[in-house]
Amino acid sequence: MSDKVRAEVGGGHAPLGGSGSLEIRDTRTGKTYAAPIFEAGVVGDETIRGMDLRQIKVDSEDFGLMVYDPAFMNTASCKSAITYIDGDRGILRYRGYPIEQLAEGATFLEVAWLLRKGELPTKQEYDKWVHDISYHTYVHENVRTFMQGFRYDAHPMSMLCGTVAALSSFYPQASDIHDPQERNLSIIRLLAKVPTLAAFAYRHIKGLPFIYPDNRLSYVENFLSMVARMSEPKYEANPLFVKALEVLFILHADHEQNCSTNAVRAVGSSHVDPFSAVAAGIVALYGPLHGGANEQVLRMIEVINHPRNIPDFIAGVKGGKGQRLMGFGHRVYKSYDPRAKIVKRLADEVFQVVGIDKDLEIALELERIALSDDYFISRKLYPNVDFYTGLIYRSMAFPVDFFTVLFAVARTAGWLAQWEEMLLDKEQKIARPRQIYIGPGERTYQSKLKPGGLK
Ligand code: CMC
């Protein structure tokens, strides 16, 4: 049996370096199996294939052993060459480049190219990429009128999700996902139009007229122009805000198999068009445990209201009643989130210019207590990227319910790179987990509405 498993694995799969094997003894049958252990070139990423366990059966009628892993705590759903995270050491790299270096020197669109293509763009490639994205920033006028149909108090994430999904009806040819040219055009359209839709959502909740894109501006400047421009003929953004947003977009651009990226991959695996797949990612990001946390951090700070209320709040978090310290903790990082370090430095720069945010004192005190409290230390709960971003966004005058939209604009780059990688991966199929059925066995239908049962 062990040879059979080995032969099957060695036969049809893309190479992951093999090293050793896992011997499994089934005490039900006394049989021993060997599942090859694969290394992906990075220490700590050793895996066995879930399908190898299927060989482990009590008899030939048996379906074979499955893995039960709710919330994918220990399951790799794909191989990816895009983003690398070492959660214990607080390392984040896009295509091998440390996030600190990219945040320091790159532009967001350069990073978007890198994520998708795997290498940094040449000057010529970059210029064309920027040109193409700038060229596609406008949306069909019907999208504009469609957005005006939302209630005045609609959440901008709902508006963004609805309109990105609606874009698929404007570009039906985008469903031809196996045509590289169509795929390229859809990717460019999404990168170009998501900021426009995000800015329109902002103007809608503010009751302001929509501002059309200004394609002479950079990606970030154009976005800020669509958000903030009033009557001035050409909008000139505060250079510090441009720099801060460029860095924040880079930090948020990708984060391997997080909840929303997994949603994009899973939905995209049905071979739906990328507008629909990205809309799924936006909805997943909206949740308070994921991208919605940046909004919740500010709401939490509003509730705390004053540093003197922090001890009570922390006691509530530790009390086990489900209250969480928002902006803390991460599935993968078990040390300080490297993005949070950069954001904290950036926040200092922004606050030096616009003044100290009134809630910064609460945030700093929360962080100080959490980093010295055994509850948080023992669970390795450190500030994540969302802890300080809200404070920066608010000091730039973005409304609280717009924070996650800013995250979505940036993450679109990662979603698209991951979506395309998934499509081109020959090992991927429609994402379809198994379940362990725990409901009733077969029983006879007997209506409780009309007596008599089956006729
Ligand atoms: N505050 C208080 N306790 C926490 C927190 C928190 N923020 N996060 C985790 N814990 C506790 C949790 O109660 C559990 O304790 P116990 O072992 O006693 O039951 C333990 O730590 C492990 O938590 P978990 O829920 O099993 O961890 P997870 O990997 O499933 O959840 C998380 C990760 C990010 C959802 C979670 O840490 C959380 O809810 N954080 C707050 C929301 C947040 O900031 N989300 C943004 C994440 S980073 C950016 C992004 O993804 O968008």
Side-chain angles (χ1 to χ4, degrees), residues 71 73 252 255 258-259 285 287-294 296-297 317-318 323-334 337 339 375-376 379-381 384-387 407 411:
M73 294 292 287
H252 285 99
H255 212 229
N258 55 85
C259 176
L285 190 73
L289 298 188
H290 189 11
N294 55 14
Q296 296 309 321
V297 169
V317 169
K318 289 158 58 178
Q323 185 177 339
R324 293 206 157 191
L325 183 54
M326 300 310 284
F328 265 70
H330 198 275
R331 171 63 60 79
V332 182
Y333 292 121
K334 298 303 167 199
D337 181 337
R339 302 167 301 172
Y375 174 94
F376 297 93
R379 289 170 178 76
K380 299 188 175 170
L381 301 172
N384 59 49
V385 71
D386 291 321
F387 191 64
F407 193 155
R411 186 54 60 84

Side-chain angles (χ1 to χ4, degrees), residues 437 439-445 454:
Y437 177 71
E442 184 179 345
R443 47 184 172 164
T444 305
Y445 168 69
L454 288 175

